[in-house]
Amino acid sequence: MTTNKIVNGALIPLTDGELTALKVKEKDWKDSEPIRLAIEVRSKRDSIVSQTDWMGLSDTAEMTNDWKAYRQALREVTSQDGFPHSVKWPTKPE
């Protein structure tokens, strides 16, 4: 942990209050890691789903069952055991 700071070019120790505040910030950052990871996974999932949205448009051929199942599996990523730390991405149909 950082115990010094630079003030006007000089290296000086952090005060007890600054050390306490730093420890609180570091704990908050660590504690929020699952939330940040979940946001990243959802963002990736949403991007993948959006890349297949065109298949569901009325002026295109009907979406196959394989693609429907794939899109549903993507939506269910957040309900997997281990989410957000361990995600098993579904396999994209050919």
Side-chain angles (χ1 to χ4, degrees):
M1 174 181 296
T2 303
T3 57
N4 296 306
K5 62 183 175 182
I6 299 175
V7 177
N8 295 329
L11 193 62
I12 61 172
L14 295 175
T15 66
D16 288 342
E18 290 170 328
L19 280 171
T20 299
L22 182 59
K23 287 178 185 177
V24 168
K25 284 184 181 182
E26 287 175 345
K27 183 181 182 318
D28 288 348
W29 177 256
K30 184 178 182 210
D31 291 348
S32 68
E33 191 248 349
I35 295 168
R36 293 190 318 274
L37 185 55
I39 290 169
E40 289 176 25
V41 170
R42 284 186 177 102
S43 178
K44 178 178 177 177
R45 183 262 330 258
D46 292 348
S47 176
I48 295 169
V49 170
S50 72
Q51 293 171 20
T52 65
D53 283 346
W54 64 271
M55 293 180 188
L57 299 175
S58 62
D59 60 347
T60 63
E62 185 174 327
M63 189 181 304
T64 66
N65 287 336
D66 286 345
W67 279 101
K68 289 176 186 177
Y70 173 67
R71 287 170 51 92
Q72 184 60 41
L74 286 169
R75 288 187 206 96
E76 294 172 354
V77 160
T78 58
S79 62
Q80 291 179 3
D81 288 338
F83 173 83
H85 298 287
S86 175
V87 174
K88 294 178 184 152
W89 293 99
T91 303
K92 185 177 182 179
E94 294 188 27

